[in-house]
Every structure is written in structure tokens, then in C-alpha cells.
Amino acid sequence: MILPESFYTRKDVVKIARELLGKVLVTGFDGVHTAGIIVETEAYAGVSDKASHAHGGRRTGRTEVMYMPGGAAYVYLCYGIHHLFNVVTNLRDTPHAILIRAIEPIEGIAAMMERRGKEKLQPSLTAGPGAMSQAMGISTQHTGVLLRGKEIYIEDRGIKIKPKDIVAATRVGVAYAQDDALRPYRFYIKDNKWVSKGKGL
DNA sequence: CAAACGATTTTCT
DNA sequence: GAAAATCGTTTGG
């Protein structure tokens, strides 16, 4: 079943980030269907989180989407090359978001490899936020799209992740956020080969 | 209006 | 292991 809006509008972004593990991200652009199990996420707790683009209540053209009610996609360009896909959570005007860092491909794998220009099926196909977005065909033009339409949605296929298989860790690439970089806001499935390595794991 | 920078990935040494 | 690639957003003049 497709996750209802009420799944995203809850107030505990960290809890939602944990619950997204095992859910299935599906995209259908131009008739090409691709899907993958979410195996790694990172929570960004808006205003009080220095690592978030919206920390301190910053509100700009780019971050405007994060102020929407939960259930929308926030996609932005990083390093001029990579499209990072986030899920907006919480209520309107509370800019919380969850970065989807990695998925385990289950459908449309051939299409993903073609998008990534790869010959063989290997973890680097979807391990890492930029790589995952490219494999799924997601780009900045999809920012603001609701995750309940035909282009992008997340569904629950009854996959259950045991609590002991969920690992909490510090986030990747946010050293500039100082003390907030130490928050255990990154979650991933233990021993899953599709989880990205990050930089300093 | 100009300049610096980043929630990363790939490639070369 | 180190460095380059590359551009929209943000910040400063």
C-alpha cells in the first residue's frame, strides 16, 4: 500500500526516518518503472539542526519545499552534479526532511543500469544519495512533487526490518555542522551490501 | 552584480 | 588515498 499523508505529517522526523527502512521507493517516468527497498536514510531536523538547509528558520527559494506539509519530495543539486532526493515530513512551516541515501534495487534494474551507464550490477549502482537519485531518474525538476502520484511514491510491501538490524550512526558529509554533526540521525540496515560507505564510517 | 561553496561521486596516482 | 568535476544557491559588496 502507498504510504498515506498521515505517515509523513507526524512530528518525529527521526522516528519516520527509521520507519522508512524497508519501505519501497517507486518511480515511473516516461513509462519506465523502477523500484528499490530503502536501506539507508538520514534525518534533518530543520530549524534546530545546523546540518539542515533550513536551520535557524532560513527560508529561501530552494528550501521553500521543506516548509510544505509532509509527503512532498525535496530534490536539490549538490556540487553541481548530484541530485539529492529527500522526503519532506512534519506539518506545514516545519522544515523537516529525510535524505534517502541508498536503496536495494528490485524492479527495473536494467533501466537503472542504463541511466547510470553501468554494465554490471553492483552496489555502486544505488549506494549513495547522488547515485541512487540518478538510478531512479530523479532530478531537481521533481522537487515539490507529492510522493503519492504516478511519478514518485513510496509504498509499504509488508517488509519488516528487525529492530536489531537497524543501526543508528552519525550523518555523512556534515562535519561543518559542528556539534549537530554528532547527532545519531543516520539509519541503515545492518549487513546490507547496498548501504553506502559514506566517508568516515 | 560577483564570488564562494556544498547532505557527492568518480577517476587517477 | 587524493583531487577534480561543475553549477545553482547563498552571501557579500
Side-chain angles (χ1 to χ4, degrees):
Chain A
M1 92 187 210
I2 295 178
L3 296 178
E5 182 179 39
S6 60
F7 177 89
Y8 304 103
T9 53
R10 288 173 296 160
K11 298 179 180 177
D12 190 343
V13 66
V14 176
K15 180 179 179 181
I16 299 173
R18 181 187 291 264
E19 291 181 7
L20 276 177
L21 293 178
K23 295 295 187 292
V24 178
L25 174 64
V26 184
T27 63
F29 302 119
D30 302 319
V32 180
H33 179 91
T34 50
I37 301 168
I38 296 171
V39 298
E40 184 179 4
T41 63
E42 277 183 11
Y44 284 85
V47 181
S48 65
D49 186 350
K50 294 192 189 70
S52 169
H53 290 153
H55 75 81
R58 237 172 36 204
R59 189 160 188 158
T60 64
R62 177 176 66 159
T63 61
E64 187 63 30
V65 176
M66 283 203 281
Y67 289 81
M68 288 175 59
Y74 169 47
V75 186
Y76 93 100
L77 189 66
C78 185
Y79 293 95
I81 307 172
H82 308 288
H83 301 268
L84 273 56
F85 173 72
N86 299 251
V87 174
V88 176
T89 70
N90 215 304
L91 303 175
R92 176 178 293 281
D93 295 329
T94 303
H96 287 186
I98 299 169
L99 171 68
I100 306 301
R101 293 190 55 83
I103 62 170
E104 175 177 339
I106 52 177
E107 291 169 16
I109 294 176
M112 291 190 203
M113 289 193 290
E114 186 174 338
R115 283 172 179 150
R116 296 272 293 136
K118 289 195 171 296
E119 301 275 319
K120 294 181 178 180
L121 179 60
Q122 51 192 317
S124 62
L125 180 69
T126 58
M132 183 280 292
S133 299
Q134 186 181 7
M136 296 295 286
I138 295 171
S139 68
T140 56
Q141 64 181 321
H142 302 115
T143 198
V145 172
L146 289 180
L147 302 175
R148 318 190 69 235
K150 63 179 180 182
E151 291 193 306
I152 310 175
Y153 58 90
I154 297 177
E155 64 181 350
D156 185 345
R157 295 193 179 180
I159 298 172
K160 292 286 192 294
I161 307 299
K162 296 173 188 153
K164 70 180 180 66
D165 287 332
I166 295 178
V167 182
T170 54
R171 292 172 293 187
V172 175
V174 295
Y176 65 88
Q178 301 170 25
D179 49 317
D180 280 328
L182 299 177
R183 299 195 193 196
Y185 282 2
R186 173 174 175 234
F187 300 98
Y188 60 93
I189 298 177
K190 187 180 181 182
D191 296 330
N192 186 298
K193 66 178 180 180
W194 297 98
V195 172
S196 77
K197 292 294 179 287
K199 280 189 174 177
L201 186 63

